mmCIF file of all heavy atoms in Angstrom:
data_model
loop_
_atom_site.group_PDB
_atom_site.id
_atom_site.type_symbol
_atom_site.label_atom_id
_atom_site.label_comp_id
_atom_site.label_asym_id
_atom_site.label_seq_id
_atom_site.Cartn_x
_atom_site.Cartn_y
_atom_site.Cartn_z
ATOM 1 N N GLY A 148 26.387 20.217 -15.218
ATOM 2 C CA GLY A 148 27.090 19.273 -16.048
ATOM 3 C C GLY A 148 26.180 18.485 -17.026
ATOM 4 O O GLY A 148 26.620 17.513 -17.624
ATOM 5 N N GLN A 165 29.764 2.120 -30.681
ATOM 6 C CA GLN A 165 28.342 1.845 -30.476
ATOM 7 C C GLN A 165 27.502 2.674 -31.433
ATOM 8 O O GLN A 165 26.348 2.309 -31.732
ATOM 9 C CB GLN A 165 27.973 2.179 -29.016
ATOM 10 C CG GLN A 165 28.712 1.292 -27.976
ATOM 11 C CD GLN A 165 28.452 1.763 -26.568
ATOM 12 O OE1 GLN A 165 27.495 2.550 -26.321
ATOM 13 N NE2 GLN A 165 29.273 1.351 -25.610
ATOM 14 N N ILE A 222 30.731 13.813 -37.011
ATOM 15 C CA ILE A 222 30.222 14.805 -36.054
ATOM 16 C C ILE A 222 29.435 15.841 -36.786
ATOM 17 O O ILE A 222 29.864 16.365 -37.817
ATOM 18 C CB ILE A 222 31.351 15.442 -35.248
ATOM 19 C CG1 ILE A 222 31.983 14.446 -34.294
ATOM 20 C CG2 ILE A 222 30.821 16.658 -34.448
ATOM 21 C CD1 ILE A 222 33.161 15.015 -33.495
ATOM 22 N N THR A 269 18.648 18.022 -22.892
ATOM 23 C CA THR A 269 19.046 18.754 -21.688
ATOM 24 C C THR A 269 18.397 20.154 -21.699
ATOM 25 O O THR A 269 18.167 20.724 -22.784
ATOM 26 C CB THR A 269 20.562 18.905 -21.569
ATOM 27 O OG1 THR A 269 21.032 19.761 -22.624
ATOM 28 C CG2 THR A 269 21.231 17.547 -21.703
ATOM 29 N N ARG A 316 25.391 29.579 -4.997
ATOM 30 C CA ARG A 316 24.749 30.606 -4.161
ATOM 31 C C ARG A 316 23.765 31.427 -5.006
ATOM 32 O O ARG A 316 22.677 31.802 -4.524
ATOM 33 C CB ARG A 316 25.812 31.531 -3.554
ATOM 34 C CG ARG A 316 26.701 30.822 -2.540
ATOM 35 C CD ARG A 316 27.837 31.699 -2.113
ATOM 36 N NE ARG A 316 28.744 30.992 -1.176
ATOM 37 C CZ ARG A 316 29.927 31.412 -0.826
ATOM 38 N NH1 ARG A 316 30.381 32.614 -1.259
ATOM 39 N NH2 ARG A 316 30.663 30.721 0.028
#
Side-chain angles (χ1 to χ4, degrees):
Q165 297 173 16
I222 290 178
T269 68
R316 294 172 183 170

